[in-house]
Amino acid sequence: MTGPGRFPRPLVTGAPVALGPAEREQALAAMAAEELDVLVVGGGVVGAGSALDAATRGLTTGLVEARDWASGTSSRSSKLIHGGLRYLEMLDFGLVREALAERALLLQRIAPHLVRPVPFLYPLTHRVWERPYVGAGLVLYDTLGLTSGASRGVPGHRHLTRRGALREAPALRRDSLVGALQYYDAQVDDARHTLAVVRTAASYGAHVANRARVVGFLREGERVVGARVRDLESGRELDVRARQVVNATGVWTDETQAMVGERGQFEVRASKGIHFVVPRDRIRSRTGIILRTATSVLFVIPWGRHWVIGTTDTDWHLDKAHPAASSRDIDYLLGHVNRVLVTPLTREDVEGVYAGLRPLLAGESEETSALSREHVVAHPVPGLVVVAGGKYTTYRVMARDAVDEVARSLDFRVAASCTDRIPLVGAQGYAAAWNARRRTAEAAGLHVARIEHLLQRHGALTPEVLALVADDPALGEPLTGAEDYLAAEVVYAVSHEGARHLDDVLTRRLRVSIETWDRGTAAAPVAAALMGRVLGWSDEQRDKEVSHYLARVEAERLSQQQPDDETADSARLGAPEIVPLV
């Protein structure tokens, strides 16, 4: 029932909702209208997961993100859902078991349309001791995957001779291995998965808004009672009051904590990891590959018509919004992967490069690769909960623990977490939609490969995209300059997925910025025109969006020619943040 001054609450059904411009305005108005139970700050996967966890417990929930959903770490990972073999070697059995349980949930229940099994070949280089050593580790890895009581969701590992390994991966040099083992993990489009978590939270009643920056916390005495939020699209500010605030800002945790004038109970260090993308035909292999390095591991990961290769693991103290990959970083990856390839990769093979920051809990170790991937939840001041650390795969556990801490401070009983049983938007009905893909293709007048591509990105929500094509057949054409995608997907990104700027679409809703040789510059004017129709852009704003995107691409290319982090960072900062015309 709605009383005076109360904002009407829609019936919570869990049915998918759009995140268009009007819905964003409504969410901001709702957050300002009445006190929330929980306000989550940070729109990466942990913040999105916390909002979903809170909303599905029946708490009135808000979620704000300063830039775009998943614009930080959560769109720049290795795109793997995995237990982590190297953590097994570090004897961190608890973390591995927890991560493998989450992998099974994501594969089979929570997001089967976005998370799928991927095989990896582990080349052996020593004849006597290495096979039993690695084999025993993989037996344990597979066994830990069953300890949750559910199926692993992936096949078990197998042993291969050198000849068998080279049949799987002809690209490997014969003298680079004496045999191999093959095991399975899972991969995910991290940005689209995070977006799906946000949309699912909204479908259960959470008020969500991107481009909404927290500029300060509201206090009553020492207690945090909400946040001052600036809408970066309009410049206006609003007070959002909440019984509890969750700081889920990842590598920005320390900066967010500083707003309350309190020294945090722990420190978060940023570790930079870079990846580059090459065309699929540059490496002849039917399987992903995992290679050991001096301090970590290197993955060669199948990614549609491409390979993603990474990662590095180095300390980073410079700009956190736009970490830069240097020439040294790229040479490091090329050097390691080329040690095992018959035909070495060159700089000319690299289509795209991206750099991300891992939020690691600082410890005594000087090497970031040795810092903890465990997470921590703290309550540094009344009214404020902080969650930090962890890894992408265990985001749901981190979110659950954060909301458990919130629940302990509320003056009413809060239900237990149920997100292990909540499919993300697009998951419900995905298997049936996949089975009907040929019929769908015939009805839509598209090739079945197009429908498969849509299903693996949108799942059971694919009919929403196809409805745009039915209304305007021109949207069924490939996007100029990025022909793997339909023009309709650009419009859908704005009308249903919260995209506000060209960079949001070409970098995160679609992955054009890392999958095309020109990094999306040819697609930019066409995509901007499509976006402008939905967002009501003037010619000036449309041109500004394109200019900004081109400047960003040029700054990234320049940074990747620099010899070290400092010069790369300086070059990357040559492209400023987009500022809307108001």
Side-chain angles (χ1 to χ4, degrees), residues 20 39 168 278 308 313 323 326 340 350 366 373 377 487 505 559:
L39 173 66
E168 291 290 312
V278 300
V308 173
D313 201 345
S326 69
V340 301
V350 176
E366 291 301 312
R373 296 310 299 272
V377 175
V505 172
S559 72

Side-chain angles (χ1 to χ4, degrees), residues 435-448:
N435 293 340
R437 63 194 184 279
R438 295 189 184 279
R439 195 166 69 245
T440 302
E442 290 173 7
L446 296 170
H447 193 282
V448 67

Side-chain angles (χ1 to χ4, degrees), residues 42 44 49 131 136 138 160 180-181 197 223 227-228 258 266 277 288 317 354 438 455 459 484 486 516:
R131 186 180 290 276
L138 287 174
L160 297 171
L181 287 93
V197 179
R223 185 176 187 82
R228 183 77 171 168
F266 47 84
V277 180
H317 297 290
Y354 64 92
R438 295 189 184 279
L455 286 167
D484 284 354
L486 296 179
T516 58

Side-chain angles (χ1 to χ4, degrees), residues 205-397:
H207 308 299
V208 305
N210 55 353
R211 299 283 297 171
R213 183 187 301 277
V214 168
V215 294
F217 287 102
L218 306 179
R219 306 290 290 268
E220 288 183 1
E222 67 170 0
R223 185 176 187 82
V224 171
V225 295
R228 183 77 171 168
V229 176
R230 178 179 299 141
D231 176 3
L232 297 184
E233 298 297 276
S234 68
R236 73 182 188 275
E237 294 190 358
L238 55 146
D239 288 343
V240 179
R241 301 186 69 82
R243 294 180 176 88
Q244 292 287 311
V245 176
V246 175
N247 173 5
T249 52
V251 294
W252 288 274
T253 297
D254 295 347
E255 288 85 345
T256 310
Q257 285 296 95
M259 290 187 193
V260 297
E262 297 285 338
R263 188 177 182 277
Q265 298 175 3
F266 47 84
E267 180 185 355
V268 175
R269 278 173 63 181
S271 167
K272 184 180 74 169
I274 83 128
H275 299 76
F276 63 69
V277 180
V278 300
R280 193 66 178 263
D281 63 6
R282 297 303 193 270
I283 300 175
R284 290 180 57 218
S285 179
R286 298 184 300 196
T287 178
I289 303 166
I290 179 173
L291 305 170
R292 296 184 72 101
T293 68
T295 59
S296 187
V297 293
L298 183 143
F299 289 100
V300 180
I301 307 163
W303 180 257
R305 298 193 301 111
H306 316 267
W307 296 97
V308 173
I309 299 173
T311 179
T312 58
D313 201 345
T314 56
D315 220 357
W316 180 261
H317 297 290
L318 302 168
D319 179 61
K320 293 180 178 179
H322 304 291
S326 69
S327 180
R328 179 191 301 165
D329 293 326
I330 297 169
D331 287 343
Y332 171 87
L333 292 182
L334 284 171
H336 276 286
V337 75
N338 282 340
R339 290 178 187 176
V340 301
L341 295 180
V342 173
T343 305
L345 299 173
T346 68
R347 286 291 187 102
E348 287 67 40
D349 295 315
V350 176
E351 294 174 288
V353 181
Y354 64 92
L357 301 177
R358 305 176 191 87
L360 303 181
L361 299 178
E364 298 300 319
S365 173
E366 291 301 312
E367 298 292 331
T368 60
S369 58
L371 294 180
S372 175
R373 296 310 299 272
E374 297 280 3
H375 69 272
V376 65
V377 175
H379 219 138
V381 296
L384 179 66
V385 170
V386 183
V387 56
K391 50 186 293 199
Y392 194 103
T393 302
T394 56
Y395 79 92
R396 193 194 64 82
V397 177

Side-chain angles (χ1 to χ4, degrees), residues 461-482:
L461 299 185
T462 295
E464 294 184 348
V465 182
L466 296 178
L468 297 175
V469 177
D471 290 341
D472 181 358
L475 296 180
E477 295 298 317
L479 178 64
T480 301

Side-chain angles (χ1 to χ4, degrees), residues 440-459:
T440 302
E442 290 173 7
L446 296 170
H447 193 282
V448 67
R450 288 282 182 196
I451 300 301
E452 290 175 351
H453 192 245
L454 289 171
L455 286 167
Q456 291 179 333
R457 292 166 41 73
H458 302 277

Side-chain angles (χ1 to χ4, degrees), residues 80-83 99-100 102-103 106 391-396:
L80 292 177
I81 298 294
H82 63 140
L100 291 175
E102 293 303 304
R103 184 189 71 180
L106 285 160
K391 50 186 293 199
Y392 194 103
T393 302
T394 56
Y395 79 92
R396 193 194 64 82

